[in-house]
């Protein structure tokens, strides 16, 4: 391990929870079984993606509630809840409730911005306020305030036989320290740090030169991501100890069958062209998927400038694989890749 690398302290995984429209229960049950497996293998965390009007998890808070009753130790996160679809006060109530039920294991990751395909969904989502909704960081700040126990109203006390609180109930004291911002830009990294959040960085970043760099030649994914991590920590009260989790797509093949290896390599090959240059009007840069033995993956990660500065990961599981593929990948992550990165499974 290079001297500049931090030994991996927390190993997690991220799933989208795909399901068949004709049998949605089977897909959701598969997700819960994968989380249960993760706990048995010693993973520190399991994270859920969020998909609206698609065939993936549309209600990760509900799935976390179910998972909390089938596990006892593993942390449960979202990566990420797009707040443009949410009322921050109501979401704060749901998150606090599930955190209480889980024994304090919820790690909500959020992001801001208009909902995807907003022009097509705004009449269904916000029929009376579509043009007035605020999708800025202010929406995150409201959620932070409610979760952290700030007043939501100027009324409290007893009215008749009912007792009212001026803040969100239930209040889960530790939840405010476990809120994450999913960001891919310098501005989001800075904002998250200034507001004392944790920072989720993934396999997608905005194509912008790292601070202090000039020119397109500097547009290297790992260096951009490293710049985000350092910017976040420079503006966080905890400094270098502020929590950052990296979410690259890695697929270990140690125990994979020849058919699985071929499928994994084909999956990565189809996605590789998008990593060559910034994509779309937002100029997004994608990290290449890493497929190979745990030894090979560990070597590539140790050479990754951003990975060397984190000690937590939530490796993203590919969207379209089968349940047995995820079992093999998670098993290899926990028994081969994690130890190669300096990680030890939880008891």
């Amino acid at each position: 391990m290079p001297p500049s690398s931090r030994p991996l302290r927390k190993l997690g995984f991220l799933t989208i929870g795909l399901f068949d429209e004709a049998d949605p229960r089977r897909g959701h049950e598969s997700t819960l079984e994968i989380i249960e497996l993760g706990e048995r293998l010693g993973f520190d965390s399991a994270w859920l993606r969020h998909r609206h009007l698609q065939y993936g998890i549309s209600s990760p808070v509900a799935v976390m509630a179910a998972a909390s009753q089938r596990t006892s130790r593993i942390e449960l996160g979202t990566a990420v809840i797009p707040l443009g679809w949410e009322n921050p006060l109501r979401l704060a109530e749901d998150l606090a409730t599930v955190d209480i039920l889980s024994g304090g294991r919820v790690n909500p990751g959020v992001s801001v911005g208009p909902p995807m395909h907003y022009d097509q969904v705004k009449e269904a989502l916000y029929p009376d306020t579509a043009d007035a909704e605020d999708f800025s960081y202010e929406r995150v700040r409201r959620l932070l305030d409610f979760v952290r126990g700030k007043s939501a109203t100027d009324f409290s006390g007893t009215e008749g036989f009912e007792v009212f609180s001026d803040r969100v109930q239930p209040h889960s004291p530790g939840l405010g320290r476990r809120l994450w911002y999913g960001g891919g830009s310098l501005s989001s990294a800075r904002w998250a740090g200034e507001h004392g959040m944790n920072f989720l960085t993934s396999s997608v970043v905005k194509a912008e030169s790292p601070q202090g760099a000039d020119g397109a030649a500097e547009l290297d994914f790992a260096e951009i991501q490293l710049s985000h991590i350092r910017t976040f920590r420079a503006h966080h009260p905890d400094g270098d100890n502020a929590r950052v989790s990296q979410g690259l797509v890695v697929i270990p093949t140690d125990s994979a069958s020849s058919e699985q290896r071929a499928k994994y390599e084909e999956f990565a090959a189809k996605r590789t062209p998008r990593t060559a240059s910034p994509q779309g009007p937002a100029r997004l840069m994608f990290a290449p998927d890493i497929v190979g033995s745990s030894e090979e993956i560990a070597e590539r990660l140790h050479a990754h400038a951003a990975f060397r500065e984190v000690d937590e990961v939530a490796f993203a599981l590919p969207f379209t694989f089968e349940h047995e593929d995820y079992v093999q990948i998670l098993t290899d992550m926990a028994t081969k890749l994690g130890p190669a990165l300096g990680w030890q499974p939880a008891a």
Side-chain angles (χ1 to χ4, degrees):
M1 182 184 299
S4 58
S5 290
R6 302 183 180 207
L8 189 62
R9 182 172 59 88
K10 286 183 176 288
L11 175 63
F13 64 91
L14 168 64
T15 179
I16 193 174
L18 286 184
F19 58 85
D20 186 336
E21 183 180 16
D23 187 13
R25 179 174 179 174
R26 178 60 250 168
H28 285 79
E29 181 66 24
S30 173
T31 296
L32 293 173
E33 290 172 1
I34 287 296
I35 294 172
E36 289 180 285
L37 172 65
E39 176 161 280
R40 292 196 301 273
L41 289 170
F43 277 87
D44 298 289
S45 60
W47 299 75
L48 304 174
R49 287 193 186 272
H50 200 154
R51 288 295 185 267
H52 287 295
L53 303 178
Q54 294 179 263
Y55 304 108
I57 295 170
S58 62
S59 184
V61 180
V63 176
M64 285 195 301
S68 75
Q69 303 306 293
R70 294 169 60 156
T71 57
S72 61
R73 178 197 53 76
I74 194 168
E75 294 187 349
L76 305 167
T78 60
V80 289
I81 296 174
L83 290 186
W85 293 77
E86 305 288 342
N87 178 300
L89 192 153
R90 278 291 301 115
L91 180 60
E93 292 178 327
D94 286 347
L95 291 172
T97 299
V98 178
D99 196 48
I100 294 293
L101 291 172
S102 73
R105 292 186 282 138
V106 170
N107 284 258
V110 301
S111 66
V112 295
M116 185 179 294
H117 303 134
Y118 189 52
D119 287 343
Q120 287 73 44
V121 302
K122 64 183 181 181
E123 291 304 317
L125 188 58
Y126 298 116
D128 301 316
T129 61
D131 296 329
E133 291 293 331
D134 182 358
F135 300 125
S136 70
Y137 292 128
E138 174 64 15
R139 215 174 183 95
V140 190
R141 189 200 59 75
R142 289 170 57 202
L143 177 68
L144 287 173
D145 285 350
F146 295 142
V147 168
R148 291 172 175 173
K150 290 191 176 182
S151 296
T153 175
D154 59 4
F155 173 74
S156 63
T158 302
E159 185 176 76
F161 294 103
E162 299 188 66
V163 181
F164 293 85
S165 170
D166 63 355
R167 67 178 185 175
V168 164
Q169 296 296 339
H171 175 65
S172 186
L175 184 58
R177 297 190 298 274
R178 283 179 270 112
L179 284 164
W180 298 72
Y181 189 83
S185 68
L186 286 168
S187 61
S188 60
R190 177 171 182 159
W191 193 94
E194 290 173 341
H195 289 79
M197 299 185 75
N198 306 307
F199 191 57
L200 289 167
T201 182
S202 70
S203 58
V204 186
V205 297
K206 185 177 180 181
E208 55 190 355
S209 295
Q211 288 183 330
D214 297 313
E218 298 293 336
L219 292 180
D220 172 78
F221 179 94
E223 292 297 331
I224 292 173
Q225 193 170 62
L226 174 63
S227 178
H228 295 170
I229 294 170
R230 290 181 172 174
T231 296
F232 165 73
R233 286 180 167 150
H235 291 87
H236 196 287
D238 294 340
D240 288 344
N241 293 321
R243 294 180 67 184
V244 178
S245 179
Q246 187 187 50
L248 302 179
V249 178
V250 303
I251 310 176
T253 60
D254 302 86
S255 66
S257 67
S258 57
E259 291 80 8
Q260 286 174 316
R261 289 193 187 94
K263 177 166 63 174
Y264 302 163
E265 290 167 0
E266 181 182 11
F267 170 85
K270 288 181 178 179
R271 286 156 50 96
T272 297
R274 68 177 186 165
T275 68
S277 61
Q279 302 293 299
R283 289 180 52 78
L284 300 179
M285 291 189 69
F286 294 83
D289 303 333
I290 308 177
V291 181
S293 70
S294 290
E295 182 179 354
E296 293 168 336
I297 293 173
E299 183 177 354
R300 291 184 61 179
L301 289 175
H302 288 322
H304 194 288
F307 176 83
R308 291 201 298 267
E309 296 216 359
V310 303
D311 60 5
E312 301 185 43
V313 296
F315 291 137
L317 296 175
F319 290 177
T320 56
F321 291 177
E322 301 298 324
H323 183 88
E324 56 268 24
D325 299 327
Y326 297 138
V327 171
Q328 175 265 312
I329 292 169
L330 289 180
T331 301
D332 283 355
M333 280 186 184
T335 61
K336 303 291 186 181
L337 178 57
L341 297 173
W343 173 81
Q344 295 296 321

